[in-house]
């Protein structure tokens, strides 16, 4: 795969971060400092962090950074998806009508 194709990809990942109760502020500050991260669900001892990046290795780099936050006990990569950036602008295909109400 050439570099041009990689630049045109979008990588979306989610993490569950297990942390001590007193680590929430430090985790939120670290996430706020990274433009490709979002603290989707903050919790007292577990939080969900999302990552959206054009960089193929960003998700694993972010795991390392999240683990380095004081009070973080574990970071679990729950989901990782990559696709061409142009595909995000395309409409979603319609499901066939089966006649069964949703």
């Amino acid at each position: 795969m050439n570099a041009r194709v990689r630049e045109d990809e979008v990588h979306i990942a989610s993490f569950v971060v297990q942390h001590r109760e007193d680590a929430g502020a430090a985790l939120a500050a670290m996430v706020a400092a990274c433009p490709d991260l979002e603290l989707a669900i903050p919790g007292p001892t577990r939080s969900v962090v999302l990552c959206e990046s054009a960089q193929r290795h960003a998700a694993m780099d972010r795991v390392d950074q999240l683990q380095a936050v004081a009070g973080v006990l574990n970071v679990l990569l729950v989901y990782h998806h990559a696709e061409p950036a142009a595909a995000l602008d395309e409409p979603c295909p319609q499901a066939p009508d089966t006649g069964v109400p949703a």
Side-chain angles (χ1 to χ4, degrees):
M1 182 180 296
N2 66 39
R4 177 170 162 64
V5 172
R6 284 190 210 136
E7 290 174 8
D8 292 340
E9 286 183 339
V10 174
H11 294 263
I12 301 167
S14 64
F15 313 101
V16 172
V17 181
Q18 296 173 307
H19 53 83
R20 299 187 195 286
E21 284 190 56
D22 60 353
L27 176 64
M30 182 270 166
V31 169
C34 297
D36 61 347
L37 292 181
E38 175 186 341
L39 186 56
I41 304 174
T45 59
R46 281 185 293 261
S47 299
V48 175
V49 176
L50 303 178
C51 177
E52 183 176 329
S53 176
Q55 302 300 317
R56 186 166 70 133
H57 298 289
M60 297 317 296
D61 291 342
R62 295 300 181 234
V63 167
D64 292 339
Q65 291 175 318
L66 289 164
Q67 287 178 331
V69 173
V72 168
L73 305 172
N74 195 17
V75 178
L76 304 165
L77 174 64
V78 177
Y79 178 80
H80 180 228
H81 174 77
E83 67 180 84
L88 295 175
D89 294 329
E90 295 176 10
C92 291
Q94 293 292 326
D97 185 11
T98 62
V100 178

